[in-house]
Every structure is written in structure tokens, then in C-alpha cells.
Amino acid sequence: MTTSYLSTPAAHQRILSWFAEARRPFPWRDPRTNAWGVLVSEVMSQQTPMTRVEPLWRDWMERWPHPSDLGKEPTAEVVRAWGKLGYPRRALRLRECAQVVAAQYQDTVPRNVETLLSLPGVGSYTARAVACFAYGDNVPVVDTNVRRVVARVEHGKPDQGKPREKADLAEVAALLPEDSATGARFSAALMEFGALVCTARTPRCEECVLSDACAWLAAGKPVWDDDTHGRRPTPQKFTGTDRQVRGLLLDVVREQPGGVKKAVLDMVWPDAIQRERALQSLLADGLMECSAAGLYGLAGELS
DNA sequence: GACGCGTGGTC
DNA sequence: TGACCAAGCGT
């Protein structure tokens, strides 16, 4: 086990000072925002840039200020309100999550990490993010930003490599300041630092408060790691995939609350086999439905 | 553990 | 200009 710089009070102080100055004032960081608001912001932010999330988050909070409000809403309304944030199944899971919170937890988002993990759409990252950011608990919050910062500063690697749930959690837990409130702030700061300074593409090492202690910078910012041959996670393709076709189909029915005939859907993609496969998957996911009259639309608005 | 899952901005 | 990237989750 190598010595950890990020676990030292000096490192904590530097990151926290930087954060106090540079943190972006997102509305879910307002102390008046409750755990429900934090949870919604975290789910919306899964694989989606924060700047795109903010306007949608405001809409949702105004429209559905409590979990029970969202849980009562038809799925079609929820999917439509999701707009073009991407990965619309997240909207369905968030609605399911709201129903569970309303029914089993008195409309209050749980604080306990294990309980949070049992909720639909809430995984290892989101559960700890809610516990930390909403409730101030000093738990490790491990996202791609945090893993990248640790990989560079501590291990001298260019990027985070494949996630290793248990090891990553343990490593980040060992970095946290002992004081609970400080630890919670430090987790938020470390993420923000990865998002704004220690970025994936072009890190801003000139303005980095850790530059004199960074193993990656000291090693000359190598582009790959000699041991792992720099294997990155599988790059995501999009053009020509079912994912693209699903997006095109959903685009149509979002705009047509009354539903459309199949002939209208047939126009969005030339390959009939793939088009049909994408449509069936949307029906199976519960994002779309088909009425008795043969119309296709968002789930829950054709009956 | 690898894969599928949207969308738009950036260089 | 197309490849890369963005606070992951569920199967």
C-alpha cells in the first residue's frame, strides 16, 4: 500500500479551499433543498451533464415537490417531462422509486445507504450521494470523477480504468477526513474538482491546487499505463444502434399525445428488422404502449 | 463482468 | 468531422 496524499489534512485543506471558491451554485446544493430534490438531481445526472439537468430539475421540483406527487403521475407525463435528458428508463425508475418512498417511507427519502440501495434506479453511487449531500453523512461517494482524480494523483495513471466496486469504495473511504461534516464537504469537493479541473480530456493542470503532489503530473502525464496497457472501458457506440432507433421512435410519440399509426413509426428508420426490435423493446420496457385500435404512444396515455 | 441504454456539446 | 465525453444502473 503506497502512502496516500489525498488522505492528509494538507490535501483536504487545499481541495476544500478550492471548492469554497469554485463550486457551481446548482439549486440542489442550496441548503433548503431536501433529500427528494437531491435524489432527483442525482438520477438526472447519471451519464448526463449537470448543465443540461438544471432547467429540467427546476420544472420537476415545481411540479412534483414530494415523491408522492410524482408517484401518482401517469408514466406518459413523466416520460414527456423527462424531455431529452436521455436514457428515459431512468424516468420510469424514478417514478417507481417515488412510489416506494411514498408508500413505505412516509414520503421521506431514506437516509440509510442500504435502504437507499433497495430503491429502483438507485445504485452504489446515487445511494451514497444522497446520504452524503442530502444528509451530510461521511460516506465514500465514488463516481467517475473521483476515481479519475485518485487514479492520477495517487497512482500516476492517466485515467480511472475499470470500476472495482469494493476496492474503489475502500480506497476512497480511507481518504475521508475524520470529522463527519468536513468529510461530507470533501466528497462533494473531490467530485467537483474532477469535473472542473482534473477533467478527462484536457485537465487544467496549470490551475490545479494539487499539481506539486500529483503522481501523474510528476510522471510526465503518460497517456497510458505500462502495466494495464491503458485499457479503457468499452467505448460506447451510438450511430446505427438500437439505442438510436429507440430515440427516434420515442421522439415521434413524445410529440403525439394521441398516439400514431404504425406507418408513422415506419418512417423513422429504414431497416424493418431493427425498427421492430427497437419498438418491441420500448413496449417491453414500459415506455410505450399499443392501443386496441392499433395506435402507438407513450405508455399510459392511450387507454 | 460485459453489455445495453439517449442525447447534445466539444475539439 | 467524427470520435470522445458526460455525478451510472440493471441484467
Side-chain angles (χ1 to χ4, degrees):
Chain A
M1 199 58 187
T2 56
T3 30
S4 155
Y5 172 69
L6 288 172
S7 69
T8 65
H12 297 158
Q13 186 53 50
R14 287 189 188 184
I15 296 277
L16 288 167
S17 298
W18 170 85
F19 186 54
E21 194 69 26
R23 70 196 287 270
R24 294 168 291 179
F26 291 119
W28 47 85
R29 287 178 171 168
D30 187 309
R32 291 168 296 183
T33 299
N34 62 20
W36 169 237
V38 173
L39 174 57
V40 171
S41 80
E42 293 302 338
V43 173
M44 286 183 167
S45 304
Q46 291 165 4
Q47 301 285 276
T48 301
M50 310 294 287
T51 49
R52 204 186 307 171
V53 164
E54 184 165 346
L56 270 293
W57 182 87
R58 292 185 185 280
D59 292 345
W60 277 52
M61 287 301 100
E62 187 174 340
R63 188 168 178 183
W64 302 303
H66 310 287
S68 53
D69 300 321
L70 178 64
K72 282 182 266 191
E73 198 74 24
T75 58
E77 283 307 304
V78 176
V79 172
R80 191 165 280 120
W82 192 255
K84 307 203 73 170
L85 277 183
Y87 294 137
R89 292 189 298 189
R90 288 183 294 166
L92 296 184
R93 296 199 192 106
L94 191 47
R95 177 173 171 276
E96 293 171 36
C97 175
Q99 291 173 337
V100 174
V101 171
Q104 298 187 23
Y105 302 105
Q106 297 78 47
D107 223 12
T108 300
V109 173
R111 176 171 185 163
N112 177 270
V113 169
E114 293 305 316
T115 309
L116 285 161
L117 282 170
S118 72
L119 299 171
V122 176
S124 177
Y125 163 75
T126 303
R128 291 177 178 80
V130 169
C132 181
F133 305 150
Y135 293 112
D137 290 343
N138 194 10
V139 296
V141 181
V142 182
D143 79 328
T144 186
N145 288 307
V146 169
R147 295 199 307 113
R148 185 175 56 250
V149 172
V150 172
R152 286 178 179 165
V153 176
E154 302 283 20
H155 305 298
K157 296 179 180 177
D159 62 50
Q160 56 273 49
K162 296 173 186 174
R164 285 178 44 253
E165 167 80 2
K166 281 198 68 175
D168 292 339
L169 272 178
E171 180 169 24
V172 174
L175 303 177
L176 299 178
E178 285 184 23
D179 177 70
S180 182
T182 308
R185 261 193 309 132
F186 179 74
S187 289
L190 204 55
M191 280 182 59
E192 187 80 334
F193 185 76
L196 296 183
V197 178
C198 197
T199 57
R201 190 103 59 122
T202 50
R204 297 167 171 79
C205 299
E206 325 74 41
E207 50 188 89
C208 175
V209 295
L210 306 180
S211 57
D212 66 341
C214 178
W216 184 54
L217 190 56
K221 298 166 73 168
V223 286
W224 65 72
D225 176 59
D226 291 338
D227 295 329
T228 63
H229 304 292
R231 297 296 292 271
R232 300 181 54 72
T234 314
Q236 51 172 343
K237 296 190 192 318
F238 177 65
T239 306
T241 62
D242 287 7
R243 213 152 85 248
Q244 181 181 23
V245 183
R246 284 167 57 102
L248 293 170
L249 292 170
L250 217 51
D251 254 351
V252 173
V253 296
R254 254 197 303 259
E255 301 302 320
Q256 303 294 335
V260 298
K261 294 179 184 175
K262 197 163 191 185
V264 177
L265 298 180
D266 288 345
M267 294 188 296
V268 307
W269 193 256
D271 181 343
I273 301 290
Q274 187 175 26
R275 199 175 60 228
E276 184 65 20
R277 187 170 64 229
L279 176 58
Q280 291 306 320
S281 73
L282 287 167
L283 295 169
D285 284 347
L287 282 163
M288 285 179 60
E289 69 180 4
C290 177
S291 74
L295 293 178
Y296 291 84
L298 288 180
E301 70 177 358
L302 297 183
S303 59

